[in-house]
Amino acid sequence: MSTEHTPVDAEVPGPATQADEIPLAAVPAVDPRLLVREQGLAGYVGEFKRKMRAGDLGSLPVVVGLLIICAIFQSLNSNFLSAENLSNIAVTMVATGMIAVGIIFVLLLGEIDLSVGSVSGVSGAIVAVLTVTQGVNEWLAVLVAIAGGALIGAIHGFFFAKIGAPAFAVTLSGLLFWSGFMLQILGSNGTINLDSEGLVGKLTTYYFTDVAAAYGLALVAVVAYFLGSFFDARRRAAAGVPSRPVGEIALRTGLLAVVAFGAAAVFNQYKGLPLAMLLFLVVLVGTDFLLRRTSFGRKVFALGGSVEASRRAGINVTGVRIAVFSIAGTFAAIGGLFWASKIAAANQSAGAGDLLMNVIAAAVIGGTSLFGGRGRTWNALLGVMVITSIQYGLALEGIATPIQYMITGAVLLATVVIDSVTRKTQKTAGRA
């Protein structure tokens, strides 16, 4: 029979007071983001410092790096920031940027697609063969090429998601197979010239020469951003969740207006708004909406975070994976059309060389994580701007191609290292 003893120094509970009767759950938790906004400028400065310590740098390193690149090359050659050179950079980067958009979807899963360069070459070859050799309507040929890219991506996704083969091995096989397929359909000549005045030819040569086009697009972008942010903030406030104050929205809108109207002014100093840049921006807005505002996008991010958790949550893992690789193939095909337009031909070198490296570099440098679960399609714009600016700046200085490869590779390595360090920092801070 055991006897309970009370320690000598133990406190004997006294009569309950009114304060003791208040349950802890009755004290509401306050979202830290609300506290930041209530503290004004000091709160945002403190939040910025906290993010820096936690490794949550966002797009800041890319923007700073781009500004440094522009400053260096402008100091070396005064033509770097000329309207003509900047407009040429904008048009040239679209082909790589389109393919990078598709790669971002794959990287969000934590996977890789090595076939996108070859698929882009197949796309240009299909259009050239159908329109020039077979006399098919160019619109129909373009649709067939894009649909072919989507089908190729879906085939890769099937072997990866359904059969269980590693994505690296599947897409490496695809790189070789589709390169051979492109050479086969191009024939012994290896080059088919395209009509520079045709649909594909005008993708990179057509400009909206009226100044109202560029300024109108800038105005639409600024107004749409403000209205979208304002009504989103009102909706969130009505739901009782953290939302941006009007002052912050106005500041962000003002910064966007400076960038948008500045770009419009540069375009209008040369030939006007490039059709290629307009199409690229439309793609970025559409894919960003797909990833951030739809259930499919949330499923992609969920898979990048944890496949097993996503499966237990009822997500069709196989279907999402196949769809993602199909999207990558689609944008590879679209990018291939822009490359064919740039050189007004489809040839054996399409999709080869440093294209695959530049595509992956653009996505990663822009801020998409190689480990999955973090990134936005707007990262393609930032990354490809860095890559293309470096290439044009080195070309203006007459730097040899091997040195360009070495510098681009060093930039990519530095970005991957930053991504790895950031991920470790976030884990230490309990954010990953």
Side-chain angles (χ1 to χ4, degrees):
M1 180 176 180
S2 63
T3 305
E4 296 182 356
H5 297 279
T6 302
V8 176
D9 57 347
E11 295 184 0
V12 179
T17 62
Q18 185 177 0
D20 295 330
E21 294 175 354
I22 299 178
L24 294 178
V27 180
V30 180
D31 193 301
R33 289 173 293 180
L34 290 176
L35 293 178
V36 169
R37 287 160 183 160
E38 288 176 359
Q39 293 169 0
L41 180 60
Y44 282 102
V45 172
E47 177 71 0
F48 176 76
K49 293 180 179 179
R50 184 192 65 78
K51 287 184 176 181
M52 290 289 289
R53 289 192 298 268
D56 188 7
L57 303 179
S59 300
L60 179 63
V62 188
V63 175
V64 173
L66 185 59
L67 294 175
I68 293 174
I69 289 170
C70 292
I72 292 174
F73 285 124
Q74 178 65 16
S75 66
L76 296 174
N77 192 317
S78 59
N79 291 324
F80 181 78
L81 292 181
S82 66
E84 179 180 357
N85 192 58
L86 293 178
S87 182
N88 289 335
I89 289 175
V91 173
T92 301
M93 72 183 191
V94 171
T96 303
M98 286 288 190
I99 306 174
V101 169
I103 276 288
I104 287 174
F105 278 82
V106 178
L107 291 178
L108 287 174
L109 295 181
E111 302 296 340
I112 193 67
D113 188 343
L114 301 177
S115 69
V116 289
S118 298
V119 176
S120 69
V122 169
S123 170
I126 289 176
V127 169
V129 170
L130 290 180
T131 57
V132 178
T133 305
Q134 305 298 326
V136 176
N137 178 272
E138 195 169 9
W139 280 97
L140 178 59
V142 167
L143 292 178
V144 170
I146 295 175
L151 178 61
I152 291 172
I155 293 173
H156 295 163
F158 172 81
F159 282 105
F160 164 61
K162 194 70 175 178
I163 306 301
F168 179 88
V170 171
T171 56
L172 179 59
S173 302
L175 182 154
L176 299 173
F177 181 88
W178 299 116
S179 294
F181 180 77
M182 177 188 67
L183 298 178
Q184 180 67 29
I185 63 176
L186 283 176
S188 57
N189 185 31
T191 299
I192 300 178
N193 294 323
L194 297 171
D195 181 8
S196 59
E197 295 299 318
L199 173 62
V200 174
K202 288 185 176 180
L203 286 177
T204 56
T205 60
Y206 185 84
Y207 293 79
F208 297 94
T209 55
D210 192 335
V211 296
Y215 287 124
L217 178 62
L219 179 62
V220 169
V222 171
V223 172
Y225 176 82
F226 176 79
L227 293 178
S229 300
F230 178 75
F231 287 111
D232 181 66
R234 288 187 60 182
R235 178 181 59 82
R236 294 174 66 88
V241 296
S243 60
R244 291 193 178 104
V246 177
E248 182 182 344
I249 295 175
L251 177 60
R252 290 170 176 263
T253 304
L255 294 175
L256 175 62
V258 171
V259 174
F261 282 97
V266 170
F267 288 141
N268 284 332
Q269 288 178 25
Y270 184 52
K271 293 182 179 179
L273 175 65
L275 173 63
M277 195 64 203
L278 174 62
L279 295 176
F280 189 33
L281 292 174
V282 170
V283 165
L284 290 175
V285 172
T287 52
D288 183 68
F289 179 86
L290 176 65
L291 280 176
R292 297 176 60 237
R293 301 292 183 179
T294 66
S295 60
F296 175 78
R298 288 189 287 272
K299 292 175 182 177
V300 172
F301 280 106
L303 279 177
S306 174
V307 175
E308 185 57 33
S310 301
R311 183 178 287 109
R312 293 183 179 183
I315 295 177
N316 183 354
V317 175
T318 300
V320 173
R321 282 175 163 175
I322 293 176
V324 164
F325 275 87
S326 181
I327 290 172
T330 300
F331 283 106
I334 294 174
L337 297 179
F338 279 89
W339 272 122
S341 174
K342 187 68 178 174
I343 63 176
N347 58 34
Q348 295 178 343
S349 64
D354 61 345
L355 177 59
L356 177 61
M357 180 194 72
N358 287 339
V359 167
I360 298 176
V364 176
I365 290 173
T368 303
S369 176
L370 283 170
F371 302 98
R374 191 181 81 240
R376 296 180 59 179
T377 52
W378 285 99
N379 297 149
L381 175 61
L382 290 173
V384 77
M385 285 175 66
V386 171
I387 294 293
T388 312
S389 296
I390 292 175
Q391 292 175 338
Y392 266 70
L394 295 175
L396 286 176
E397 293 303 304
I399 305 298
T401 300
I403 304 299
Q404 295 184 29
Y405 284 175
M406 294 167 64
I407 293 176
T408 305
V411 172
L412 176 59
L413 176 61
T415 306
V416 173
V417 170
I418 292 174
D419 183 33
S420 300
V421 172
T422 299
R423 187 175 178 86
K424 291 180 179 179
T425 305
Q426 290 178 340
K427 285 184 176 180
T428 303
R431 292 175 57 86

